[in-house]
Amino acid sequence: MNEPLNPSVQSDSAAAATVPQPAPPLPDRIRSEVWDVPFDHLTLAEAVDWIECLVQRRTPSYVITANVNYCMLHHRDPEMGVITDNADLILADGQPIVSRSRLSKKPIPERVAGSEMIYHLAERCSDNGWGIYFLGGEEGVAAQCAKKLQAMYPGLKISGIESPPFRKLSEREQAEQDQRIKKSGAAILLVAFGQPKGEKWIHENYKRLGIPVSIQLGASFDFIAGKAKRAPILCQKMGLEWAYRMCTDPKRLVPRYAKNATFLLGALIEDWKRLVTSWGMGDWSNRPER
């Protein structure tokens, strides 16, 4: 359900009504494929700079933070191909993806975790006077997330907070939600619907809503609100955050990570076969790019 806006929740519509200044051109992009998903070669800081450029364009766009689960869905779900193709940025939110890219000629510099990027986005929005619309999560979680970020980054504008029901909205409900988001004047729409529901929802709606940047951020709301806990830093660096999360919510995550592990094993076997084949043909420099 919708959560009432409190006095700290501000509308950004007046700022959005001003005539925008010409946006700087987007930086040059470098991409390489890992398991058929084209990832942008960006550090966390560079990704935030890119998103700032996208906001300044004032043209509806969306960003994907892709992990191994996203790569698997990209392979198995026919709807995901066009979502991947139309994304303005695809960030590697998984250490296995970064590690695999090191076998190619264009390795990804680092993991860009959505659960870390959300803090940097809030800081950048606070610095620029931009608003964020928080959409999704269980009732109360988005509000708590927004409250904590606003306390950390004074001046952050909260353009809207909404926790819709976990079902498809009626036509009337969807139209009312559209109007709330459109009139909010938000620069960034953060969505927490889960994967791939969030990416599909954004792809279906982002042009109509007109928000400069939309991003599905998974469990980030839960982490900030304190509903879920991130893995220790050592687990994150070792690429074992998935194992930690699986232990904290086995009923929901064990089936998902079992599928991810099966996909990952199959993908690595295919990578090895291609590498062995290239060696057999005498091409030692032809490392797999997929």
Side-chain angles (χ1 to χ4, degrees):
M1 62 181 293
N2 304 334
E3 299 180 30
L5 301 183
N6 56 49
S8 67
V9 178
Q10 308 166 39
S11 173
D12 208 18
S13 56
T18 61
V19 177
Q21 297 298 315
L26 293 174
D28 292 334
R29 124 180 300 156
I30 300 174
R31 275 185 163 181
S32 65
E33 288 190 356
V34 176
W35 303 316
D36 295 328
V37 176
F39 287 92
D40 290 282
H41 288 235
L42 297 173
T43 63
L44 174 58
E46 291 167 344
V48 175
D49 289 341
W50 250 90
I51 291 171
E52 179 173 2
C53 290
L54 292 174
V55 170
Q56 291 173 334
R57 287 194 315 171
R58 311 304 298 184
T59 300
S61 63
Y62 64 91
V63 176
I64 292 173
T65 57
N67 52 17
V68 172
N69 190 61
Y70 186 91
C71 294
M72 180 193 72
L73 293 168
H74 177 81
H75 272 257
R76 298 180 181 179
D77 187 339
E79 294 182 44
M80 299 303 291
V82 66
I83 295 173
T84 299
D85 291 342
N86 291 339
D88 289 79
L89 278 183
I90 302 179
L91 305 173
D93 188 357
Q95 194 57 44
I97 295 167
V98 176
S99 298
R100 169 59 186 81
S101 76
R102 291 171 183 158
L103 296 177
S104 72
K105 298 174 183 178
K106 296 181 290 184
I108 298 168
E110 66 181 24
R111 177 190 179 193
V112 180
S115 50
E116 295 177 13
M117 186 171 67
I118 188 172
Y119 292 100
H120 295 264
L121 292 176
E123 182 178 26
R124 190 65 59 92
C125 284
S126 176
D127 292 341
N128 289 314
W130 296 336
I132 298 178
Y133 200 107
F134 295 80
L135 179 66
E138 295 183 7
E139 187 173 354
V141 171
Q144 186 65 17
C145 173
K147 180 180 179 180
K148 287 193 174 182
L149 287 175
Q150 197 169 50
M152 294 175 67
Y153 307 105
L156 174 64
K157 295 181 179 179
I158 309 302
S159 297
I161 299 170
E162 191 167 342
S163 296
F166 292 98
R167 59 169 172 78
K168 184 175 178 62
L169 301 183
S170 67
E171 289 187 11
R172 178 179 176 179
E173 288 173 328
Q174 186 62 65
E176 291 173 348
Q177 184 186 80
D178 286 357
Q179 287 304 307
R180 288 192 295 272
I181 296 174
K182 287 178 180 179
K183 292 179 179 180
S184 71
I188 295 178
L189 172 63
L190 298 182
V191 178
F193 284 169
Q195 197 176 72
K197 181 180 177 181
E199 288 85 356
K200 290 183 177 182
W201 186 92
I202 288 173
H203 183 258
E204 180 181 351
N205 296 288
Y206 81 105
K207 289 184 178 179
R208 185 179 74 253
L209 295 174
I211 304 299
V213 178
S214 298
I215 313 173
Q216 151 70 20
L217 284 181
S220 298
F221 290 9
D222 290 333
F223 290 140
I224 295 174
K227 183 176 175 58
K229 188 177 180 181
R230 284 204 69 187
I233 297 297
L234 181 60
C235 286
Q236 296 178 37
K237 290 182 177 180
M238 293 175 64
L240 295 174
E241 188 167 12
W242 61 272
Y244 179 89
R245 290 194 61 202
M246 184 174 64
C247 292
T248 61
D249 190 0
K251 184 176 180 180
R252 183 175 68 89
L253 293 178
V254 165
R256 166 178 161 173
Y257 285 128
K259 293 178 182 178
N260 290 172
T262 301
F263 165 78
L264 183 59
L265 179 61
L268 291 174
I269 289 173
E270 289 300 314
D271 288 342
W272 176 252
K273 287 180 179 178
R274 283 191 293 272
L275 187 60
V276 170
T277 299
S278 68
W279 287 350
M281 297 176 64
D283 185 2
W284 289 76
S285 64
N286 185 24
R287 295 176 176 177
E289 285 286 331
R290 294 184 65 205

